Amino acid sequence: MRPSKRQADELRPIRFTRGYTRHAEGSVLVEFGDTRVLVTASVEESVPPFLRGKGQGWLTAEYGMLPRATHTRSAREAAKGKQSGRTQEIQRLIGRSLRAVVDMAALGERQITIDCDVLQADGGTRTAAITGACVAVHDALSQLVAKGLLAANPMKDFVAAVSVGIYRGVPVLDLDYPEDSDCETDMNVVMTGSGGLVEVQGTAEGAPFSRAELDALLGLAENGIARLIELQKAALAGASA
Amino acid sequence: MRPSKRQADELRPIRFTRGYTRHAEGSVLVEFGDTRVLVTASVEESVPPFLRGKGQGWLTAEYGMLPRATHTRSAREAAKGKQSGRTQEIQRLIGRSLRAVVDMAALGERQITIDCDVLQADGGTRTAAITGACVAVHDALSQLVAKGLLAANPMKDFVAAVSVGIYRGVPVLDLDYPEDSDCETDMNVVMTGSGGLVEVQGTAEGAPFSRAELDALLGLAENGIARLIELQKAALAGASA
Amino acid sequence: MRPSKRQADELRPIRFTRGYTRHAEGSVLVEFGDTRVLVTASVEESVPPFLRGKGQGWLTAEYGMLPRATHTRSAREAAKGKQSGRTQEIQRLIGRSLRAVVDMAALGERQITIDCDVLQADGGTRTAAITGACVAVHDALSQLVAKGLLAANPMKDFVAAVSVGIYRGVPVLDLDYPEDSDCETDMNVVMTGSGGLVEVQGTAEGAPFSRAELDALLGLAENGIARLIELQKAALAGASA
Amino acid sequence: MRPSKRQADELRPIRFTRGYTRHAEGSVLVEFGDTRVLVTASVEESVPPFLRGKGQGWLTAEYGMLPRATHTRSAREAAKGKQSGRTQEIQRLIGRSLRAVVDMAALGERQITIDCDVLQADGGTRTAAITGACVAVHDALSQLVAKGLLAANPMKDFVAAVSVGIYRGVPVLDLDYPEDSDCETDMNVVMTGSGGLVEVQGTAEGAPFSRAELDALLGLAENGIARLIELQKAALAGASA
Amino acid sequence: MRPSKRQADELRPIRFTRGYTRHAEGSVLVEFGDTRVLVTASVEESVPPFLRGKGQGWLTAEYGMLPRATHTRSAREAAKGKQSGRTQEIQRLIGRSLRAVVDMAALGERQITIDCDVLQADGGTRTAAITGACVAVHDALSQLVAKGLLAANPMKDFVAAVSVGIYRGVPVLDLDYPEDSDCETDMNVVMTGSGGLVEVQGTAEGAPFSRAELDALLGLAENGIARLIELQKAALAGASA
Amino acid sequence: MRPSKRQADELRPIRFTRGYTRHAEGSVLVEFGDTRVLVTASVEESVPPFLRGKGQGWLTAEYGMLPRATHTRSAREAAKGKQSGRTQEIQRLIGRSLRAVVDMAALGERQITIDCDVLQADGGTRTAAITGACVAVHDALSQLVAKGLLAANPMKDFVAAVSVGIYRGVPVLDLDYPEDSDCETDMNVVMTGSGGLVEVQGTAEGAPFSRAELDALLGLAENGIARLIELQKAALAGASA
């Protein structure tokens, strides 16, 4: 039995609060249970040098964890003067995931910067960040449409992410911290609304895992992501931010 | 007239949300109007090397601004690899302000680390941070009492801070961003519950200011801080975090 | 047809040169076609602070690319003063992969540091590094046995890695640079001699990929890795380094 | 009684040596007793990017302390690779103080960089630096006039700074190190020749201070600064550097 | 007697392997006995800002040591985030040595970057690097001639370097690590094919050295460098890389 | 003829001001003409970790140039966050030079840190620094003797340094900036009172130099250093600092 009493294929309570802060073009507080990530999408009317004059846009992401988002305080990266390897890995993943669903040519010479800041951590911060970023980027792009800067929203599809893992021998969906810190295999899956895989990252923490286990985990993730995308759509169908 | 229609001596709506996140010993979201700062107080059962074996505690503070807390996105300090001079100045001020009201000998060989992270900025982030930190530190210390680690709360007095300034020739209390970016003189005042001054930092942005203006600003600040301390007490009198 | 004329399931010529340099306990030049990585395994008779006194060992990895290992010169990371996110991601992957096959308790309070330096790059440097590291670590551990410091080699299994990807619509094994820079989906797979998966990292570079494509890629990788492990065993069966 | 036997309202011996080094447009060794700061003002015929084309100048300041300016050697900031928060706070203060008395439009698109390097420290290094910088900047600007690059000296007023504090219960002027390290309240005041306040920074080191104490300190500072400005004028009236 | 049994005036076996890697315009593995340095020369069709529009080229060098090139592993400079003083000293020396023999005007607005990476160290890495760089730069420049970008090779002369030292009272040529770590005086000499001195750097490790000793060392170095230049010429006379 | 009208073998006016600042155990302002370097020697009663318990001392040096010591302002290294290669090269040279004349065993487990800060530069800052450091270290060590911490001064010999170079075809002694920036060959020589060579660093800036030129330069340097050491002795014979 899972520490949270959830079923093996049960997500934590998911919540999207759009318009959580007021300055960003898109601003969403995403909650996967006790994991709370503030995701903003900022639009800048220019692109990095390597893309200038190519008629297409760019999207990049940054990730941070407030020092006391975690059980024990961790050092502030700005004070240490460098971002950890983990942070860099996560922000690269978020950027790739969102770039997979935005039509860069349709975006034009603009850059979207996604900032994902973890206010409270309870496992799955990167998957919550990707899932929330989809909503925040959608809002930011809708604002460009509303302002008449774009004819149509250049988001081609939805994208969401979830973690799956083998906890005490059982494949489970959406690991929280007690599960994450005690599981044998941990996998993050990023998938689009049309069911295409964008990223699959599976790691054996202890014993290696088998193809059969991999298949079971992918099955759980597919269902979980389909449900997350329904929730994203419902959130976006609400009053605009 | 002030852009916000406030009276010259009127604070913005002030709100303290205790227990805003769950891991920190003290966790408060403090709001001065649209300025929102998440302040956590973390307790560590050790002190920095220069204090070891001296039988007293220490308190330090860190400050950060989420990249899109502001009107236009500012670069993430962790990504730039260094904290700005402004950030360092603010976190030193917060630390000094709180050390003024905590009895370090009574605290014993423990360290309190205050983290102030600005979720949304609309002027006065440092004064909101100090004012919220007083509540967060009080909660963290109360928890040490509740756990039996301390006999009494070592906070000797309350402390709060407010900005005052001369806006279009008129001394006003608690500047918001439109005022702050357009005022002639800006002063931050930190004061205790018993009316003692902890810090006074006044800066002429344009023309120098006179002693008479300084006196008027200090008068506004004294009243404002007295009101803030009433609100801190009311917040702490509510259900514990 | 592949640029190199290889079959879809054909590895590049693989070569392990043991004892390539003389100071390291294990030193292997591994070649996957024109990709050449010098891998050394260094033994240190101590562990990092977080493991002291716990009776177990540690293994960590670092990765670097000589500035002109690539078609155009890339800046030297030591001169820039920081390792890129890509470098950090790769060295974390190499470390996890090798830790999966070394019995840390049997190793005792020692640390193995793997250095992977790319002398010439033609795609697949991280998979070559992992595959070569297995041989280098085996040699380093054998030397501990030979010196009487360990009763048996604490490597529990072999481990190797290969890239697979969908190139012009066809799943292919062991991508070289021309394929890698032009493929739709890229996956790195790390597997043990007994067929267990250690890491699976698949990324859609363009369009998302389907479960069927994922399955095809995993099949190719399994066969490729089985072949790589045969070659590792053959290399280790040769005259000792 | 003060350790130096000075009266409560007595400055230390003040000395300005103009033309102390020969390359800088303005170069002054300023001494407040045993505190000795070498201040140079350098003129550059360009402005930072944010001011280009706006027809106005800029003035900025940097501050450093030689490692053995102090009783015990402190680490060299260039070797540590970063400037401390204290250093940054001081250099920001010096820059603001001098900008308050230079007419940036009259200066034209030029930048003045003030370098304040403490050769020997005995308390009050920042106030000595500001006071000396006024003379050095005046000399640098006079040189622009002498060269025919400016019609008139764009310095609108004099500016000087002094520390005041409550030492053993008594408000005193111009603290030296023994007083500074043992005082209850420490305030730095920056004022112009016409008596306007530019900066007031008061800090309670121990017990908070009252409005009455603040008033007494400001009174001392006003007199001290008036005297410093007389001395600046006398120094500038001497043979040109 | 020398640990290696060599005569006092005997070089170690010297080997140049041209075309050691395939991407760089010049790529040479140079071996001085067990010291092995991979030297690449990269051509870039632009010059640093300070030379733009001056019609001349530039040549610069970088140096690194693989972490386990040495007896015990040394920390990776990219991971430490800075290059040591020793590294910077060596790369400045290599750059100056090669600039002495390349006609910068004839090179035109191009930059040659030399990368010297020590794969295995046994003393004399900087002298091997300079000696190998001469061959690598020659190859890179020949390629520019072959491509028709230059009419003639702008290398005006050969340059090579060797270490000499006083080992157990005897002046010896080309110190290996056991000699280097135990010698009284160590000197690096850089000389051209026409016998001109480019650099002489002698250091007393223990007792100071006399003019007579200096003369003896310079005599050994002259002969050694003449022999190295013969070997460079022979290497370049071989089949082109 | 030399720009300064000096004879080819003539030093600039040399001056040592002992006790230039008051906190350091040794503090000397050394002047070689217009080159002015403040050298302090600080004593610390401990040694770096690699020497602990070995019963011997250590001596190290740091070097810095005030930003406006030079004709045009150069960036502050503390603000840039790193020391240049040139700075590191110089401070390593100063440290080696002084270690050559201090008996580390006689010093005991203490560290001497030399700080050389250039107040005004006119060529030859590193040689002035070494020459002044000899006096400063002597004073610092004498103070240890005076305090009864050492039985005798552990300085075994004097050491001084001077630059020599070929300026417009003529070998000259003690180059000033106009000569230094326009000479063909530049050599720094460090020598002891008993005439032993500690360091010889000669660099061809333009055309290589011959053995005959090298010999002429060494001859000039020997005489110049003998004179500098007389001046050091005279300075130390004056009233103690």
Side-chain angles (χ1 to χ4, degrees):
Chain A
M1 189 186 276
R2 306 178 69 173
S4 61
K5 321 285 185 208
R6 281 186 283 149
Q7 298 300 311
D9 62 352
E10 188 182 346
L11 290 170
R12 288 177 283 181
I14 306 296
R15 195 152 53 141
F16 300 95
T17 307
R18 292 165 63 206
Y20 188 73
T21 56
R22 70 172 206 192
H23 298 306
E25 286 73 21
S27 172
V28 170
L29 182 78
V30 57
E31 296 171 79
F32 276 38
D34 276 341
T35 287
R36 284 153 52 181
V37 185
L38 172 50
V39 184
T40 59
S42 299
V43 179
E44 200 188 342
E45 291 290 322
S46 70
V47 285
F50 73 93
L51 280 179
R52 266 173 217 154
K54 302 209 171 153
Q56 69 170 97
W58 187 241
L59 182 152
T60 187
E62 292 188 1
Y63 170 94
M65 179 106 82
L66 296 197
R68 197 54 198 283
T70 42
H71 280 81
T72 56
R73 188 177 183 273
S74 45
R76 185 177 291 266
E77 290 189 329
K80 286 195 297 181
K82 60 188 275 192
Q83 295 181 298
S84 70
R86 177 186 173 275
T87 290
Q88 293 192 56
E89 219 171 294
I90 292 174
Q91 58 197 14
R92 285 155 57 88
L93 171 64
I94 299 169
R96 284 198 308 269
S97 297
L98 271 291
R99 283 194 294 274
V101 293
V102 174
D103 179 338
M104 292 300 165
L107 176 58
E109 293 214 357
R110 292 186 174 85
Q111 174 161 319
I112 308 291
T113 303
I114 300 169
D115 286 289
C116 303
D117 286 277
V118 179
L119 304 188
Q120 187 172 281
D122 188 40
T125 63
R126 81 188 70 186
T127 53
I130 292 166
T131 305
C134 179
V135 177
V137 170
H138 195 280
D139 272 346
L141 295 173
S142 293
Q143 203 186 88
L144 290 173
V145 174
K147 285 181 180 167
L149 292 165
L150 288 178
N153 194 313
M155 190 172 268
K156 303 176 292 187
D157 199 349
F158 283 75
V159 67
V162 78
S163 70
V164 282
I166 298 174
Y167 175 72
R168 311 216 163 161
V170 180
V172 295
L173 177 68
D174 187 22
L175 286 73
D176 55 26
Y177 180 76
E179 290 169 335
D180 190 37
S181 55
D182 189 29
C183 76
E184 294 119 47
T185 290
D186 178 17
M187 179 152 48
N188 292 297
V189 180
V190 184
M191 208 177 275
T192 63
S194 49
L197 291 158
V198 172
E199 290 264 347
V200 173
Q201 297 192 340
T203 299
E205 300 291 335
F209 52 101
S210 65
R211 274 294 291 277
E213 288 171 321
L214 175 66
D215 289 340
L217 291 173
L218 284 168
L220 276 177
E222 280 176 0
N223 290 334
I225 289 175
R227 176 75 188 125
L228 288 169
I229 289 177
E230 281 170 23
L231 294 167
Q232 288 173 330
K233 288 178 179 169
L236 284 165
S240 79
Chain B
M1 187 186 275
R2 308 179 68 173
S4 61
K5 322 285 185 207
R6 280 185 284 148
Q7 299 299 313
D9 64 349
E10 188 182 345
L11 292 170
R12 289 177 283 182
I14 306 296
R15 194 150 57 140
F16 301 95
T17 308
R18 291 165 64 205
Y20 188 73
T21 57
R22 71 174 207 192
H23 298 307
E25 286 73 21
S27 173
V28 170
L29 181 78
V30 57
E31 296 170 79
F32 276 37
D34 275 341
T35 288
R36 284 152 52 178
V37 185
L38 172 50
V39 185
T40 58
S42 298
V43 180
E44 199 187 342
E45 293 290 323
S46 69
V47 284
F50 73 93
L51 280 179
R52 264 172 219 155
K54 302 209 170 153
Q56 66 170 98
W58 188 240
L59 181 150
T60 188
E62 292 189 0
Y63 170 94
M65 179 105 82
L66 296 197
R68 196 56 196 283
T70 44
H71 281 80
T72 55
R73 188 177 183 273
S74 45
R76 186 177 290 267
E77 291 189 329
K80 287 195 296 182
K82 61 188 274 191
Q83 295 181 299
S84 71
R86 177 185 173 276
T87 291
Q88 294 192 56
E89 218 169 294
I90 293 174
Q91 56 197 14
R92 285 156 56 90
L93 171 64
I94 299 169
R96 284 198 308 270
S97 298
L98 271 291
R99 284 195 294 274
V101 293
V102 174
D103 179 338
M104 292 300 165
L107 176 58
E109 293 215 357
R110 291 186 175 85
Q111 173 160 321
I112 308 291
T113 302
I114 299 169
D115 286 289
C116 303
D117 286 276
V118 179
L119 304 189
Q120 188 172 279
D122 188 40
T125 62
R126 80 188 71 186
T127 52
I130 291 166
T131 305
C134 179
V135 177
V137 170
H138 194 281
D139 272 345
L141 295 173
S142 294
Q143 202 186 87
L144 290 174
V145 175
K147 283 182 180 167
L149 291 165
L150 287 176
N153 194 315
M155 190 173 269
K156 302 176 293 186
D157 199 348
F158 282 75
V159 68
V162 80
S163 69
V164 283
I166 298 176
Y167 175 72
R168 311 214 163 163
V170 180
V172 295
L173 177 68
D174 189 20
L175 286 72
D176 55 26
Y177 180 77
E179 292 169 334
D180 190 36
S181 54
D182 189 29
C183 76
E184 295 118 47
T185 290
D186 179 18
M187 179 150 49
N188 292 297
V189 181
V190 184
M191 209 177 276
T192 64
S194 49
L197 291 158
V198 173
E199 290 264 346
V200 173
Q201 297 193 340
T203 298
E205 300 291 336
F209 51 101
S210 66
R211 273 294 290 277
E213 287 171 321
L214 176 66
D215 288 341
L217 292 172
L218 285 168
L220 276 178
E222 280 177 358
N223 290 334
I225 289 176
R227 176 74 187 126
L228 288 168
I229 290 177
E230 281 170 23
L231 294 167
Q232 288 173 331
K233 288 178 179 169
L236 284 165
S240 78
Chain C
M1 188 186 274
R2 306 178 71 172
S4 61
K5 322 285 185 205
R6 281 185 284 149
Q7 299 300 311
D9 63 350
E10 189 182 344
L11 291 170
R12 288 177 284 182
I14 305 295
R15 193 149 56 139
F16 301 94
T17 307
R18 291 164 65 205
Y20 187 73
T21 56
R22 70 173 207 192
H23 299 307
E25 286 74 21
S27 173
V28 171
L29 182 77
V30 57
E31 296 171 78
F32 276 38
D34 275 340
T35 288
R36 284 153 52 179
V37 185
L38 171 51
V39 185
T40 59
S42 298
V43 179
E44 199 188 343
E45 292 290 323
S46 70
V47 285
F50 73 92
L51 280 179
R52 265 173 219 152
K54 300 208 170 155
Q56 66 169 100
W58 188 242
L59 181 151
T60 189
E62 291 189 0
Y63 170 94
M65 180 106 81
L66 296 197
R68 197 56 198 280
T70 44
H71 281 79
T72 57
R73 187 176 183 273
S74 46
R76 186 177 289 267
E77 291 190 328
K80 287 196 297 181
K82 60 188 274 189
Q83 295 180 299
S84 71
R86 177 185 174 275
T87 291
Q88 294 192 55
E89 220 170 293
I90 293 174
Q91 57 197 14
R92 285 155 57 88
L93 171 64
I94 299 169
R96 283 197 309 269
S97 298
L98 271 291
R99 283 195 295 274
V101 292
V102 174
D103 179 338
M104 292 300 164
L107 177 58
E109 293 215 357
R110 289 185 177 86
Q111 174 160 319
I112 308 291
T113 303
I114 299 170
D115 286 288
C116 303
D117 286 277
V118 179
L119 304 190
Q120 187 173 279
D122 188 40
T125 63
R126 81 190 70 188
T127 53
I130 292 167
T131 306
C134 179
V135 177
V137 170
H138 195 280
D139 272 344
L141 295 173
S142 293
Q143 200 184 90
L144 290 174
V145 174
K147 285 182 181 167
L149 291 165
L150 288 176
N153 194 315
M155 190 172 270
K156 301 176 294 187
D157 199 347
F158 283 75
V159 67
V162 79
S163 71
V164 283
I166 298 174
Y167 176 72
R168 311 217 162 159
V170 181
V172 296
L173 177 68
D174 188 21
L175 286 72
D176 54 27
Y177 180 76
E179 292 169 334
D180 191 36
S181 55
D182 189 29
C183 76
E184 294 119 47
T185 290
D186 179 18
M187 179 151 49
N188 292 297
V189 180
V190 184
M191 208 177 277
T192 63
S194 50
L197 291 157
V198 173
E199 290 264 346
V200 173
Q201 297 192 340
T203 299
E205 301 291 336
F209 52 101
S210 66
R211 272 294 292 277
E213 288 171 320
L214 176 66
D215 287 340
L217 291 172
L218 285 168
L220 277 176
E222 279 177 359
N223 290 335
I225 289 175
R227 176 75 187 123
L228 288 169
I229 289 177
E230 281 171 23
L231 293 167
Q232 288 173 331
K233 289 179 179 169
L236 284 165
S240 79
Chain D
M1 187 185 276
R2 306 178 71 172
S4 62
K5 323 284 186 208
R6 280 185 285 149
Q7 299 299 313
D9 62 351
E10 188 183 345
L11 291 170
R12 289 177 283 183
I14 306 296
R15 194 151 52 139
F16 301 94
T17 307
R18 290 165 65 207
Y20 188 73
T21 56
R22 70 173 207 193
H23 298 306
E25 287 72 22
S27 173
V28 171
L29 182 77
V30 57
E31 297 172 77
F32 275 39
D34 276 340
T35 287
R36 284 153 51 180
V37 185
L38 171 51
V39 184
T40 58
S42 299
V43 178
E44 198 188 344
E45 292 289 322
S46 70
V47 285
F50 73 93
L51 280 179
R52 265 174 218 154
K54 302 206 170 155
Q56 67 170 97
W58 188 241
L59 181 152
T60 188
E62 292 189 359
Y63 170 94
M65 179 105 82
L66 297 197
R68 197 54 197 283
T70 44
H71 281 80
T72 56
R73 185 176 184 275
S74 46
R76 184 177 290 268
E77 290 189 330
K80 286 195 298 181
K82 61 187 273 190
Q83 296 181 297
S84 71
R86 177 185 172 276
T87 290
Q88 294 192 55
E89 219 169 295
I90 293 174
Q91 58 197 15
R92 284 156 57 87
L93 171 64
I94 299 169
R96 283 198 308 270
S97 298
L98 272 291
R99 284 194 295 273
V101 292
V102 174
D103 179 338
M104 292 300 164
L107 177 58
E109 293 215 357
R110 290 185 177 86
Q111 174 160 318
I112 309 291
T113 303
I114 301 169
D115 285 289
C116 303
D117 286 278
V118 180
L119 304 188
Q120 188 172 280
D122 188 40
T125 63
R126 81 188 72 186
T127 52
I130 291 166
T131 304
C134 180
V135 177
V137 170
H138 196 281
D139 272 345
L141 294 172
S142 293
Q143 202 185 89
L144 290 173
V145 175
K147 284 183 183 165
L149 291 166
L150 287 177
N153 194 314
M155 190 173 268
K156 301 175 294 184
D157 198 349
F158 282 75
V159 67
V162 78
S163 70
V164 282
I166 298 175
Y167 176 72
R168 308 211 167 164
V170 180
V172 295
L173 177 69
D174 187 22
L175 286 72
D176 55 25
Y177 180 77
E179 291 169 335
D180 191 37
S181 55
D182 189 29
C183 76
E184 295 119 46
T185 290
D186 178 18
M187 179 149 52
N188 292 298
V189 180
V190 184
M191 209 176 276
T192 64
S194 49
L197 291 158
V198 173
E199 289 265 346
V200 173
Q201 297 193 341
T203 298
E205 301 291 335
F209 51 103
S210 65
R211 273 294 292 277
E213 288 171 321
L214 175 65
D215 288 339
L217 291 172
L218 284 168
L220 277 177
E222 279 176 0
N223 290 333
I225 289 175
R227 175 74 188 127
L228 287 169
I229 289 177
E230 282 170 23
L231 295 167
Q232 288 173 331
K233 288 178 179 169
L236 284 166
S240 80
Chain E
M1 187 185 277
R2 306 177 71 173
S4 61
K5 322 285 186 207
R6 281 185 283 148
Q7 299 299 314
D9 63 352
E10 188 182 346
L11 292 170
R12 290 176 282 181
I14 306 295
R15 193 150 56 138
F16 301 96
T17 308
R18 291 165 65 207
Y20 187 73
T21 57
R22 70 172 207 193
H23 298 307
E25 287 73 21
S27 172
V28 171
L29 182 79
V30 57
E31 297 172 77
F32 276 37
D34 275 341
T35 287
R36 283 152 54 177
V37 185
L38 172 51
V39 184
T40 58
S42 299
V43 179
E44 199 188 343
E45 292 290 322
S46 71
V47 285
F50 73 93
L51 280 179
R52 266 174 217 152
K54 302 208 171 155
Q56 68 170 98
W58 188 241
L59 181 151
T60 188
E62 292 189 359
Y63 170 94
M65 178 105 83
L66 297 197
R68 196 56 197 282
T70 43
H71 280 81
T72 57
R73 188 177 182 273
S74 46
R76 185 177 290 266
E77 290 189 330
K80 287 196 295 181
K82 62 188 273 189
Q83 295 180 299
S84 71
R86 177 185 173 275
T87 291
Q88 294 193 56
E89 219 170 294
I90 293 173
Q91 56 196 15
R92 283 156 56 88
L93 171 64
I94 299 168
R96 282 198 309 269
S97 298
L98 271 291
R99 283 195 295 274
V101 293
V102 174
D103 179 337
M104 292 300 164
L107 177 58
E109 293 215 359
R110 291 187 176 84
Q111 174 160 319
I112 309 290
T113 303
I114 300 169
D115 285 289
C116 303
D117 286 277
V118 179
L119 304 189
Q120 189 172 279
D122 188 40
T125 63
R126 81 188 72 187
T127 52
I130 292 166
T131 305
C134 180
V135 177
V137 170
H138 195 281
D139 272 344
L141 295 173
S142 294
Q143 203 184 88
L144 290 173
V145 175
K147 283 182 181 167
L149 291 166
L150 288 176
N153 194 315
M155 190 173 267
K156 303 177 290 187
D157 199 349
F158 282 76
V159 67
V162 79
S163 71
V164 281
I166 298 175
Y167 176 71
R168 310 215 164 162
V170 180
V172 296
L173 177 69
D174 188 22
L175 287 73
D176 55 25
Y177 180 77
E179 291 169 335
D180 190 37
S181 55
D182 189 29
C183 76
E184 294 119 46
T185 290
D186 179 16
M187 180 151 48
N188 291 298
V189 180
V190 184
M191 207 176 277
T192 64
S194 49
L197 290 158
V198 173
E199 290 264 346
V200 173
Q201 297 192 339
T203 299
E205 301 291 335
F209 52 102
S210 65
R211 274 293 292 277
E213 288 170 321
L214 176 67
D215 288 340
L217 291 172
L218 284 168
L220 276 177
E222 280 177 359
N223 290 334
I225 289 175
R227 176 76 188 124
L228 288 169
I229 289 177
E230 282 171 23
L231 293 167
Q232 288 172 331
K233 289 178 179 169
L236 284 165
S240 80
Chain F
M1 188 185 274
R2 307 178 70 172
S4 61
K5 322 283 186 210
R6 281 186 284 149
Q7 299 299 313
D9 63 350
E10 189 183 345
L11 291 170
R12 289 176 282 182
I14 305 295
R15 194 150 55 138
F16 300 95
T17 308
R18 291 165 64 206
Y20 187 73
T21 56
R22 71 174 208 192
H23 298 308
E25 286 73 21
S27 172
V28 171
L29 182 78
V30 58
E31 296 171 79
F32 276 37
D34 275 341
T35 287
R36 283 152 54 180
V37 185
L38 172 51
V39 185
T40 58
S42 298
V43 179
E44 200 188 341
E45 293 289 324
S46 70
V47 285
F50 72 93
L51 280 179
R52 264 173 218 153
K54 301 207 172 156
Q56 68 170 99
W58 188 240
L59 182 150
T60 187
E62 291 189 0
Y63 170 94
M65 178 105 82
L66 296 198
R68 196 56 198 282
T70 43
H71 280 80
T72 56
R73 186 176 185 273
S74 47
R76 187 176 289 268
E77 291 189 329
K80 287 196 296 182
K82 61 187 275 189
Q83 296 180 298
S84 70
R86 177 186 173 275
T87 291
Q88 294 192 56
E89 220 170 292
I90 292 174
Q91 57 196 13
R92 285 156 55 89
L93 171 64
I94 300 168
R96 284 198 308 270
S97 298
L98 271 291
R99 284 195 295 273
V101 293
V102 174
D103 179 337
M104 293 300 164
L107 177 58
E109 294 215 357
R110 292 186 175 83
Q111 174 161 319
I112 309 291
T113 303
I114 300 170
D115 286 289
C116 304
D117 286 277
V118 180
L119 304 189
Q120 189 173 277
D122 188 41
T125 62
R126 81 189 70 188
T127 52
I130 291 166
T131 305
C134 179
V135 178
V137 169
H138 194 281
D139 272 345
L141 295 173
S142 294
Q143 201 185 89
L144 290 174
V145 175
K147 284 181 180 167
L149 291 166
L150 286 177
N153 195 314
M155 190 172 269
K156 301 177 292 188
D157 199 349
F158 282 75
V159 67
V162 79
S163 70
V164 282
I166 298 174
Y167 175 72
R168 310 215 163 162
V170 180
V172 296
L173 177 68
D174 188 20
L175 287 72
D176 54 27
Y177 180 78
E179 291 169 334
D180 191 36
S181 54
D182 190 27
C183 76
E184 294 119 47
T185 290
D186 179 17
M187 179 151 49
N188 293 297
V189 180
V190 185
M191 208 178 277
T192 63
S194 48
L197 291 158
V198 172
E199 290 264 346
V200 173
Q201 297 192 341
T203 298
E205 300 291 336
F209 51 103
S210 66
R211 271 296 289 279
E213 288 171 319
L214 175 66
D215 288 340
L217 292 173
L218 285 168
L220 277 178
E222 279 177 0
N223 290 335
I225 289 175
R227 176 75 187 124
L228 288 169
I229 289 176
E230 281 170 23
L231 293 167
Q232 288 172 331
K233 287 178 179 167
L236 285 165
S240 79

